[in-house]
Amino acid sequence: MNVCPYLEYAFSILGKKWNGLIIHYLSLCPDHSAHFSEIKRDLSEITSRALSLKLAELAEFGLIEKKVTNGTPVVISYELTEKGRSLTLALEPVQQWALRNKQV
């Protein structure tokens, strides 16, 4: 039996620690955008190095975009792309399932 390649692709992204939570976090932010320091503050368990690596990885998948605004100081933010926003819609039923089934 073969595993569905599309499901395998989805889990290659979501199966990695922090990826789903970062995507979910950005989906809750105004304009689906946040600064590194905001993400780090609110996902306090992730190290700065791990967050940097995860943000770069999610950008490679085309789920987020790093936005650089030149000025003094330079402002860097991370924003969900259209592809990333569509993934958040797919995560909503998973969140509802977890809400119904998680043992406390």
Side-chain angles (χ1 to χ4, degrees):
M1 173 170 38
N2 292 328
V3 175
C4 172
Y6 304 109
L7 193 56
E8 187 176 10
Y9 170 71
F11 279 105
S12 74
I13 298 167
L14 296 172
K16 294 181 181 176
K17 189 171 183 175
W18 298 110
N19 285 359
L21 290 177
I22 293 169
I23 292 165
H24 177 68
Y25 176 84
L26 289 172
S27 76
L28 300 174
C29 293
D31 299 322
H32 305 290
S33 177
H35 301 285
F36 183 95
S37 60
E38 295 168 325
I39 302 168
K40 175 66 181 98
R41 178 193 67 218
D42 294 334
L43 299 178
S44 60
E45 297 294 315
I46 192 170
T47 65
S48 294
R49 176 162 166 65
L51 180 56
S52 284
L53 292 171
K54 292 299 173 180
L55 291 169
E57 179 179 48
L58 292 170
E60 285 180 25
F61 279 117
L63 299 171
I64 65 170
E65 184 178 3
K66 182 178 181 178
K67 300 264 186 165
V68 179
T69 305
N70 292 323
T72 307
V74 172
V75 177
I76 299 172
S77 61
Y78 297 88
E79 182 178 332
L80 284 175
T81 61
E82 188 62 39
K83 183 177 176 181
R85 285 188 288 256
S86 70
L87 180 55
T88 64
L89 297 176
L91 291 176
E92 287 175 10
V94 175
Q95 183 182 20
Q96 291 304 310
W97 177 88
L99 179 67
R100 288 189 307 274
N101 292 285
K102 182 178 182 212
Q103 300 293 322
V104 180

